[in-house]
Amino acid sequence: MNTFGELFRLTTFGESHGVALGAVIDGCPAGVALTTAHLQAALDRRRPGQSAVTTSRAEADRVELLSGVYEDKTLGTPIAAVVRNQDARSQDYAALAKEDRPGHADKVWRERFKHRDPRGGGRTSGRETLSRVIGGAVADALLAREVPALSVVGWVSQVGPLGAPTPGPGLTRAQVDAHATRCPDAAAAQAMEARILQAKSAGDSLGGAVTVRVEGLPAGLGEPVFGKLKARLASALAGVGAVTGVVWGPAELLSRLERPGSQFHAARPDGRPGDVYGGIQGGLSNGEPLQVQVLFKPPATLGSHAKQGRHDPCILPRAVPVVEAMVSLALADAWLLFLARPHRP
Amino acid sequence: MNTFGELFRLTTFGESHGVALGAVIDGCPAGVALTTAHLQAALDRRRPGQSAVTTSRAEADRVELLSGVYEDKTLGTPIAAVVRNQDARSQDYAALAKEDRPGHADKVWRERFKHRDPRGGGRTSGRETLSRVIGGAVADALLAREVPALSVVGWVSQVGPLGAPTPGPGLTRAQVDAHATRCPDAAAAQAMEARILQAKSAGDSLGGAVTVRVEGLPAGLGEPVFGKLKARLASALAGVGAVTGVVWGPAELLSRLERPGSQFHAARPDGRPGDVYGGIQGGLSNGEPLQVQVLFKPPATLGSHAKQGRHDPCILPRAVPVVEAMVSLALADAWLLFLARPHRP
Amino acid sequence: MNTFGELFRLTTFGESHGVALGAVIDGCPAGVALTTAHLQAALDRRRPGQSAVTTSRAEADRVELLSGVYEDKTLGTPIAAVVRNQDARSQDYAALAKEDRPGHADKVWRERFKHRDPRGGGRTSGRETLSRVIGGAVADALLAREVPALSVVGWVSQVGPLGAPTPGPGLTRAQVDAHATRCPDAAAAQAMEARILQAKSAGDSLGGAVTVRVEGLPAGLGEPVFGKLKARLASALAGVGAVTGVVWGPAELLSRLERPGSQFHAARPDGRPGDVYGGIQGGLSNGEPLQVQVLFKPPATLGSHAKQGRHDPCILPRAVPVVEAMVSLALADAWLLFLARPHRP
Amino acid sequence: MNTFGELFRLTTFGESHGVALGAVIDGCPAGVALTTAHLQAALDRRRPGQSAVTTSRAEADRVELLSGVYEDKTLGTPIAAVVRNQDARSQDYAALAKEDRPGHADKVWRERFKHRDPRGGGRTSGRETLSRVIGGAVADALLAREVPALSVVGWVSQVGPLGAPTPGPGLTRAQVDAHATRCPDAAAAQAMEARILQAKSAGDSLGGAVTVRVEGLPAGLGEPVFGKLKARLASALAGVGAVTGVVWGPAELLSRLERPGSQFHAARPDGRPGDVYGGIQGGLSNGEPLQVQVLFKPPATLGSHAKQGRHDPCILPRAVPVVEAMVSLALADAWLLFLARPHRP
């Protein structure tokens, strides 16, 4: 199904080579400040063609708001927004139309749906994430009003074999966006960029990881036992195109998992318990920063197709806003569910 | 919320020190062979006290079927089953009742719900997984009728720093259960067992990984774009108690992620594409074996509490049936959704 | 499916001649005063055998609380309760087992489910409403804490051709229960009782209407456009066994519908608009008393079967607590959804 | 919420005076014949300005298909369609903007949402039904492929005090549409038309009933006990704007309800049981024609406002396609759920 969320719900539509893509956000309360500019700014962050490390396609996507907003505030009614496929360029895909592209979902999709648009990936295209980003922008607008201290910031923490040191608290999206690779560590960013350009010129591709951190999240969000925050975020993130893993806690958790509990759970110098839990206990946010690593596989478009330049050799930099959007959507939903539970002693 | 699934739905209830735990399975079609013995056998596999490597608590849980089955076949009505807490032994927890146990969710749960049963973990206790196992047994019964070739088999693939070679195809649950550690590789199992006993005597604990493999799964299961099989399984697995990560594909995928796409997507010797995708493409099962690694953190009960012997130093062996149950539940649900989509050319 | 509600959810199970019937209520916040006695009192109100006008079966149903309550307060976890079928008496139904009972759903159920328990109605039996009444009692407990001024009171407003005057505001359940027919107007009650006894002795049956009124309901409940309070209540009520119609507004609305709008919408003597809307406008409660008529068809058990005395010649009196329960369930759910929508200017 | 259905889901958006209204239909399988012309034809049937008995507003609504269809067949992806508000004419409403219109939901909506578009009814406007009609057209397209013998036909069966005889089987939409009042009985239609014109000239309004009949419906649709077909249809229909009641069975059922069971359940001359059940037993369709009456209150716009001619004195004729759409949506959903339940002996 194409709807995400229980109370704050995103419904998406649109094929990569159809008339338009779009999103309907239902359940956003009235009175939230929201304009077309908010949505456009979010889309611009996921736009390709912004640097040498991404595809050279210039998707000048313009969003149009169709409903749900009046005088720059939400009405409490469904918010619909569309982006027209101005530049479908299906001729580029004409040669591929007849054959299933290796490494893509073309074959399995065709076998399942039987009737398929042969031009491009349809709903499996990366363009589908555009609708997620629109939804995430609305979620951000709601969260900015409801939980002003909250920040959801992702960054590229690994490209192929190259990692990056974990940034300190207070990281902003602007600090991340200052780097073409969206890795906020200057040295690591430089190395990653070189590696991506090398892969690009070789017709090769690279995977890696995006880490996302949530600061300022109140304790108690999540619904045991099947709506745990951990499960909701895992579902939100694992559903993104090339994701192959979701791991909780800071980047070093994977290695720490090998250690015995006495080390894993050891208190920090300041006496507080280790933040290795990733900000969640018993399925609920615990008031600590929440951190998740999202693992991506390398794109499957290789060789001469890749060299044509209309594909990303490494989607990590452009995946950052998508990962953030999915986290914000899950949190907006969890927040409304939190309000719906007036627990008392 | 305490319901999992869209069409094949498991609703669970019960606190670790309450009257009973149980499960209601709704949406199972009529005519599926199911008896109390099926459910009891599934519960016995997750029962503690089966070997030196698990807790010495003897939870002689007996399941009672309350509805939904007539003459050993399901009626198409809700299947309810309960397990009474015969041996609540709350006195063991009396000393802990007043204080929040470090590393547990006691504090965050108390702050959220305000009214809490101080005896044990309540719904955050590992006993809650008992209801999942009941649900999984019903899912298995349905899948055995609908997709006879299907097998869902999990095993312990890592304990602390100790890994194990990936077993070949055709692995059975019986082969896994033959080892106390539920690692089907004899040498690795022996090393893991020694490491667990060492941790136990030291009042320490160990995390690791359970890998689960699905063979015989038809192509096309999953619902793009937010009900992708990947997302459903991630949600199912990330919601289990101590899980800290869900990673797709075979065990070596984590290291392979560092390699460029040309190696990652390289064809296998037999010319078929690499099975690194974990059996899923475009959100749909692709007919290949599906494999997932589920990462667990070490238990938080340490020191003198741990030495009392009523806690597992390593929950991995007992987590295997729980992981299998969650996968089966997600697949049973995906199967019914598959039937509800009569796609035609 | 056997779950009702979005945030306050009732899941029911149990066949009329199985081991037990029961209910799981999920989503009730913590700290709500609730005991076994609450649930038992609710069940006793729907119990047959209380007067000459109902079946002579003595269903001494005892409810057992399995989870979700600690020290007489809810825990915020699922509340499970069961009632064992102590008196299944399937021999009474033995003769009918082979044949589909005319006027019952036996045939259509058998054709749909293919495997059916031939002893009695299974899930189509009136005993299924027992689980609804348990759910309603929990909903009432929540609403009593959250909206203390709220009252949900139903009464028998019609039996066969016999109507009753609409009672004034402030009617209580005790006032209704004082009459065997659950019609609070003494004269009408007497006439109805005579008519029911006459039908009973003739092996005949009677339909009619239950009217339910909600007082003290805050304005604004309901979720446009598909979760309107009107739609939620209609769904809740139309799903009850023998219901053949749901009509909004006071009893006289049906005749008023024939009048032109200038009369229909005419202001009341006190200058406020007519309360003909049934307390709902634009899908939302409007702060006025909400009133609904629920129409029931006559039971299908007739002739010699009916004379055996194990069937109600008129289910209206016993339907009152069931109708109230469904309204309370819908309102508890709507209340939690209301909390989840922080609309602001 | 603004989504209807479980597996065949309609999500609607748009305010009466916003940029556009629209619908996203999710869950429609691939390969269903569908074009813009289908949707436009459905919209044209609900369009006002078609005769003297409806409003004189000429809403020349043009629908645009944005996604989900390729080469005149559905893709199995979400189908999005929009209708732009070309002729918002908000100046007509300018005078009303400041004050809440009596009999409308303006006040309760303003109190609930706090931020409201003062131009017209927003989501409470009758224009919202446009999205329902789009959804119904897609449901009809699916049902035409899956259940070719199915017909869903509604007609105006009552206007104010004027009833109409129940038409015989095989009634078509074309036969209904041949009359401006959408009452297929010529004599009754003439009387209704005269009464409506009289009300119009008097600045008055009229309510009444639409009856809808489903023929060719297979037995077994519906999901006990809370997803009964009766409950799903009641929810679908009660959510339509001015609906005040939903009554099962043929038009004469209301009077028949007063009769004892021996008459109510009496067999028909051909020996088959009475069709008084409305085609549903035990919550499931029983293979007989299904019939429902939908009661509407008179519009609240009266006096000088009504005489301006931009309001319907009687919405019944235009409500017919909306009632049909809601029934088709509920049936399409029930059909997919039916496929998802492989019951076997």
Side-chain angles (χ1 to χ4, degrees):
Chain A
M1 311 294 272
N2 296 277
T3 296
F4 180 82
E6 299 289 317
L7 290 180
F8 187 94
R9 297 159 74 105
L10 168 68
T11 298
T12 72
F13 60 86
E15 291 80 44
S16 61
H17 290 68
V19 176
L21 295 104
V24 181
I25 297 95
D26 193 9
C28 184
V32 173
L34 187 74
T35 64
T36 305
H38 278 103
L39 305 184
Q40 190 62 50
L43 283 184
D44 289 347
R45 288 187 69 226
R46 81 163 273 293
R47 188 158 49 90
Q50 295 172 307
S51 77
V53 300
T54 61
T55 166
S56 60
R57 280 175 310 179
E59 297 178 4
D61 294 319
R62 307 305 305 171
V63 67
E64 183 187 14
L65 206 42
L66 297 183
S67 69
V69 174
Y70 177 70
E71 294 186 344
D72 296 349
K73 281 189 180 174
T74 57
L75 284 164
T77 58
I79 299 158
V82 290
V83 174
R84 291 186 174 263
N85 285 321
Q86 300 172 312
D87 177 30
R89 239 179 309 198
S90 39
Q91 64 277 20
D92 285 23
Y93 294 88
L96 294 167
K98 291 288 189 295
E99 45 179 301
D100 295 327
R101 295 167 296 172
H104 288 81
D106 295 355
K107 181 165 172 284
V108 65
W109 192 278
R110 185 172 45 77
E111 288 175 352
R112 174 77 181 102
F113 288 93
K114 304 202 172 60
H115 180 58
R116 200 178 88 83
D117 181 347
R119 302 165 301 165
R123 292 286 284 167
T124 64
S125 159
R127 268 186 82 68
E128 171 261 323
T129 59
L130 192 150
S131 304
R132 298 175 186 244
V133 167
I134 292 172
V138 180
D140 281 342
L142 171 63
L143 291 167
R145 186 189 81 173
E146 297 285 314
V147 193
L150 188 79
S151 79
V152 176
V153 179
W155 68 90
V156 174
S157 53
Q158 190 170 341
V159 167
L162 304 173
T166 297
L171 184 72
T172 66
R173 290 184 181 179
Q175 288 168 347
V176 171
D177 288 353
H179 301 267
T181 53
R182 284 206 167 103
C183 172
D185 181 86
Q190 199 170 2
M192 287 174 178
E193 186 162 349
R195 181 68 65 117
I196 295 172
L197 293 174
Q198 177 193 349
K200 187 180 182 180
S201 66
D204 212 336
S205 66
L206 290 164
V210 168
T211 300
V212 63
R213 190 195 283 153
V214 182
E215 294 180 356
L217 186 66
L221 269 66
E223 294 275 312
V225 298
F226 293 119
K228 288 179 180 174
L229 196 52
K230 211 168 53 164
R232 288 177 180 274
L233 285 166
S235 168
L237 295 167
V240 173
V243 169
T244 57
V246 177
V247 182
W248 298 96
E252 63 273 22
L253 182 77
L254 270 178
S255 55
R256 285 178 66 105
L257 273 180
E258 302 192 355
R259 302 186 198 170
S262 54
Q263 294 176 36
F264 186 91
H265 293 284
R268 294 183 297 195
D270 61 1
R272 294 162 73 201
D275 64 354
V276 293
Y277 308 112
I280 296 181
Q281 282 176 297
L284 306 170
S285 63
N286 63 5
E288 298 278 321
L290 186 156
Q291 201 161 304
V292 192
Q293 293 173 76
V294 188
L295 313 182
F296 286 82
K297 64 182 178 189
T301 302
L302 300 168
S304 56
H305 292 311
K307 285 187 190 170
Q308 285 168 10
R310 292 184 44 71
H311 295 274
D312 287 292
C314 176
I315 60 166
L316 276 296
R318 291 182 55 215
V320 168
V322 179
V323 164
E324 290 169 346
M326 293 313 300
V327 170
S328 291
L329 285 163
L331 293 179
D333 197 33
W335 174 254
L336 297 184
L337 282 162
F338 181 83
L339 297 180
R341 302 293 180 217
H343 299 300
R344 298 191 197 156
Chain B
M1 310 294 270
N2 297 277
T3 296
F4 179 83
E6 299 290 317
L7 290 180
F8 187 94
R9 297 159 73 106
L10 169 67
T11 298
T12 72
F13 61 86
E15 291 81 44
S16 62
H17 291 68
V19 176
L21 296 106
V24 181
I25 297 95
D26 194 9
C28 184
V32 173
L34 188 73
T35 64
T36 305
H38 278 104
L39 305 184
Q40 189 63 49
L43 283 184
D44 289 347
R45 287 186 71 226
R46 81 162 274 294
R47 188 160 50 89
Q50 295 172 306
S51 77
V53 300
T54 62
T55 166
S56 60
R57 277 175 313 180
E59 296 179 4
D61 294 320
R62 306 305 304 172
V63 67
E64 183 187 15
L65 207 41
L66 297 183
S67 69
V69 174
Y70 177 70
E71 294 186 344
D72 297 349
K73 281 190 180 173
T74 57
L75 284 164
T77 58
I79 299 159
V82 289
V83 173
R84 292 187 174 262
N85 285 321
Q86 299 172 312
D87 177 30
R89 241 179 309 198
S90 39
Q91 65 276 20
D92 285 22
Y93 294 88
L96 293 168
K98 293 287 189 296
E99 46 179 300
D100 296 327
R101 294 167 298 171
H104 289 82
D106 295 355
K107 178 164 174 285
V108 66
W109 192 276
R110 184 170 47 76
E111 288 175 352
R112 175 75 181 104
F113 288 92
K114 307 212 171 53
H115 179 58
R116 199 178 86 84
D117 181 348
R119 302 165 302 165
R123 292 287 284 168
T124 64
S125 159
R127 268 186 82 67
E128 172 262 321
T129 59
L130 192 151
S131 305
R132 298 174 186 245
V133 167
I134 292 172
V138 179
D140 281 342
L142 172 63
L143 291 167
R145 186 189 80 172
E146 297 285 313
V147 194
L150 188 80
S151 78
V152 176
V153 179
W155 67 91
V156 174
S157 53
Q158 189 171 341
V159 167
L162 305 173
T166 297
L171 184 72
T172 67
R173 290 185 181 177
Q175 288 168 348
V176 172
D177 288 354
H179 301 266
T181 53
R182 284 205 168 103
C183 173
D185 181 87
Q190 199 170 1
M192 287 173 178
E193 185 163 348
R195 183 65 67 116
I196 295 173
L197 293 175
Q198 178 192 348
K200 186 180 182 181
S201 66
D204 212 334
S205 66
L206 291 164
V210 169
T211 300
V212 63
R213 190 195 284 154
V214 182
E215 295 179 354
L217 187 65
L221 270 66
E223 294 276 312
V225 297
F226 294 119
K228 288 179 180 173
L229 196 52
K230 211 168 53 165
R232 286 176 182 274
L233 285 166
S235 169
L237 294 167
V240 174
V243 170
T244 59
V246 178
V247 181
W248 298 95
E252 63 274 21
L253 182 78
L254 271 177
S255 54
R256 285 178 67 105
L257 274 179
E258 302 192 356
R259 302 186 198 170
S262 54
Q263 293 176 36
F264 185 91
H265 294 284
R268 294 183 298 195
D270 61 2
R272 296 162 71 201
D275 63 355
V276 293
Y277 308 112
I280 296 181
Q281 281 175 298
L284 306 171
S285 62
N286 64 5
E288 296 279 321
L290 187 156
Q291 202 161 304
V292 192
Q293 293 174 75
V294 189
L295 312 182
F296 287 81
K297 64 181 178 188
T301 301
L302 300 167
S304 56
H305 293 312
K307 286 188 189 169
Q308 284 168 12
R310 292 183 43 71
H311 295 274
D312 286 292
C314 176
I315 60 166
L316 275 294
R318 292 183 55 213
V320 168
V322 178
V323 164
E324 290 168 346
M326 294 312 300
V327 170
S328 291
L329 285 162
L331 294 180
D333 197 32
W335 175 253
L336 297 184
L337 283 161
F338 181 83
L339 297 180
R341 302 293 180 217
H343 299 300
R344 298 190 198 158
Chain C
M1 310 294 271
N2 296 278
T3 295
F4 179 83
E6 299 290 316
L7 290 180
F8 187 94
R9 297 159 72 105
L10 169 67
T11 298
T12 72
F13 60 86
E15 291 80 45
S16 62
H17 290 69
V19 177
L21 296 104
V24 181
I25 297 95
D26 194 10
C28 183
V32 173
L34 187 74
T35 64
T36 305
H38 278 103
L39 305 184
Q40 189 63 49
L43 283 184
D44 290 346
R45 288 186 70 226
R46 82 164 272 293
R47 188 157 49 89
Q50 295 172 307
S51 77
V53 300
T54 61
T55 166
S56 60
R57 279 175 312 179
E59 296 179 4
D61 293 320
R62 307 306 305 173
V63 67
E64 183 186 15
L65 207 41
L66 297 183
S67 69
V69 174
Y70 177 71
E71 294 186 345
D72 296 348
K73 281 189 180 174
T74 57
L75 284 164
T77 58
I79 299 159
V82 290
V83 173
R84 291 186 174 262
N85 284 322
Q86 298 172 312
D87 177 31
R89 240 180 309 199
S90 38
Q91 65 277 20
D92 285 23
Y93 294 88
L96 294 168
K98 293 286 189 296
E99 44 179 303
D100 295 326
R101 295 168 297 172
H104 288 82
D106 295 356
K107 179 164 173 285
V108 65
W109 192 276
R110 184 170 47 77
E111 287 175 352
R112 174 76 182 103
F113 288 93
K114 306 207 171 53
H115 180 57
R116 200 179 87 83
D117 181 347
R119 302 166 302 166
R123 292 287 282 167
T124 64
S125 159
R127 267 187 83 66
E128 173 262 323
T129 59
L130 191 151
S131 305
R132 298 175 187 243
V133 168
I134 293 172
V138 178
D140 281 342
L142 171 64
L143 291 167
R145 186 190 79 173
E146 297 285 313
V147 193
L150 188 79
S151 79
V152 176
V153 179
W155 68 91
V156 174
S157 53
Q158 189 170 340
V159 167
L162 305 173
T166 297
L171 184 72
T172 65
R173 290 184 182 178
Q175 289 168 348
V176 172
D177 288 353
H179 301 267
T181 53
R182 284 206 167 103
C183 172
D185 180 86
Q190 199 170 1
M192 288 174 179
E193 187 163 348
R195 182 66 66 117
I196 294 173
L197 293 175
Q198 178 193 350
K200 187 181 181 179
S201 66
D204 211 335
S205 66
L206 291 163
V210 169
T211 299
V212 63
R213 190 195 284 153
V214 181
E215 293 179 356
L217 187 66
L221 268 66
E223 295 274 313
V225 296
F226 294 118
K228 287 179 179 172
L229 197 51
K230 211 168 51 164
R232 287 177 180 275
L233 285 166
S235 169
L237 294 167
V240 174
V243 170
T244 58
V246 177
V247 181
W248 298 96
E252 64 273 21
L253 181 77
L254 271 178
S255 55
R256 285 178 66 104
L257 274 179
E258 302 192 356
R259 302 186 198 170
S262 54
Q263 294 176 36
F264 186 91
H265 294 284
R268 294 184 297 196
D270 61 2
R272 296 161 73 200
D275 64 355
V276 293
Y277 307 112
I280 296 182
Q281 282 176 298
L284 305 171
S285 62
N286 63 6
E288 296 280 320
L290 186 156
Q291 202 160 304
V292 192
Q293 293 174 75
V294 189
L295 313 181
F296 287 82
K297 64 182 177 189
T301 302
L302 299 167
S304 56
H305 292 312
K307 286 189 189 169
Q308 284 168 12
R310 292 183 43 71
H311 295 274
D312 287 291
C314 176
I315 61 166
L316 275 295
R318 292 182 56 213
V320 168
V322 178
V323 164
E324 290 169 345
M326 293 314 300
V327 170
S328 292
L329 285 163
L331 293 180
D333 197 33
W335 175 254
L336 297 184
L337 283 161
F338 181 83
L339 297 180
R341 302 292 180 216
H343 299 299
R344 298 191 197 157
Chain D
M1 312 294 270
N2 296 277
T3 296
F4 179 83
E6 300 289 318
L7 290 180
F8 187 93
R9 297 158 74 105
L10 168 67
T11 298
T12 72
F13 60 86
E15 290 81 44
S16 62
H17 290 68
V19 176
L21 295 104
V24 181
I25 297 95
D26 194 10
C28 184
V32 173
L34 187 73
T35 65
T36 304
H38 278 104
L39 305 184
Q40 189 63 50
L43 283 183
D44 289 347
R45 288 187 69 226
R46 81 164 272 294
R47 189 159 48 92
Q50 294 173 306
S51 77
V53 300
T54 61
T55 168
S56 60
R57 279 174 312 180
E59 297 178 4
D61 294 319
R62 305 306 304 171
V63 67
E64 183 187 14
L65 206 41
L66 297 183
S67 68
V69 174
Y70 177 71
E71 294 186 343
D72 296 348
K73 281 190 180 173
T74 58
L75 285 164
T77 59
I79 299 158
V82 290
V83 174
R84 291 184 175 263
N85 285 322
Q86 299 171 311
D87 176 30
R89 241 179 308 198
S90 40
Q91 64 277 19
D92 284 24
Y93 294 88
L96 294 167
K98 293 288 190 295
E99 44 178 301
D100 296 327
R101 295 168 296 173
H104 288 82
D106 295 355
K107 179 164 173 285
V108 65
W109 191 277
R110 185 172 47 76
E111 288 175 350
R112 174 76 182 104
F113 289 93
K114 303 196 172 60
H115 180 58
R116 200 178 87 83
D117 181 347
R119 302 166 301 166
R123 291 287 282 166
T124 64
S125 160
R127 268 187 83 66
E128 172 262 324
T129 59
L130 191 151
S131 305
R132 299 175 186 243
V133 167
I134 293 172
V138 179
D140 280 342
L142 171 64
L143 291 167
R145 186 189 79 172
E146 297 285 313
V147 192
L150 188 79
S151 79
V152 177
V153 179
W155 68 91
V156 174
S157 53
Q158 190 170 340
V159 167
L162 305 173
T166 298
L171 184 72
T172 66
R173 290 185 181 177
Q175 289 169 347
V176 172
D177 289 353
H179 301 267
T181 53
R182 284 206 169 103
C183 172
D185 182 86
Q190 198 170 1
M192 288 174 179
E193 187 163 347
R195 182 67 65 116
I196 295 172
L197 293 175
Q198 177 193 349
K200 188 179 180 179
S201 66
D204 211 335
S205 65
L206 290 164
V210 169
T211 299
V212 63
R213 190 194 285 154
V214 182
E215 294 179 354
L217 186 65
L221 268 67
E223 294 274 313
V225 298
F226 294 118
K228 288 178 180 173
L229 196 52
K230 211 169 50 165
R232 288 177 181 274
L233 285 166
S235 168
L237 294 167
V240 174
V243 170
T244 58
V246 177
V247 181
W248 298 96
E252 63 273 22
L253 182 77
L254 271 178
S255 55
R256 285 178 67 104
L257 273 179
E258 302 193 355
R259 302 187 198 169
S262 54
Q263 293 176 36
F264 185 91
H265 294 285
R268 295 184 296 196
D270 62 1
R272 295 162 72 201
D275 65 353
V276 293
Y277 309 111
I280 296 181
Q281 281 175 297
L284 306 171
S285 62
N286 65 4
E288 297 279 320
L290 187 155
Q291 201 160 304
V292 192
Q293 292 174 77
V294 189
L295 313 181
F296 287 82
K297 63 182 179 190
T301 301
L302 299 167
S304 56
H305 292 312
K307 286 188 189 168
Q308 284 167 13
R310 293 184 43 70
H311 295 273
D312 287 291
C314 175
I315 61 166
L316 275 295
R318 292 182 56 216
V320 168
V322 178
V323 164
E324 290 169 345
M326 293 314 299
V327 170
S328 291
L329 284 163
L331 293 181
D333 197 32
W335 175 253
L336 297 184
L337 282 161
F338 180 83
L339 297 180
R341 303 290 181 218
H343 299 299
R344 298 192 197 156

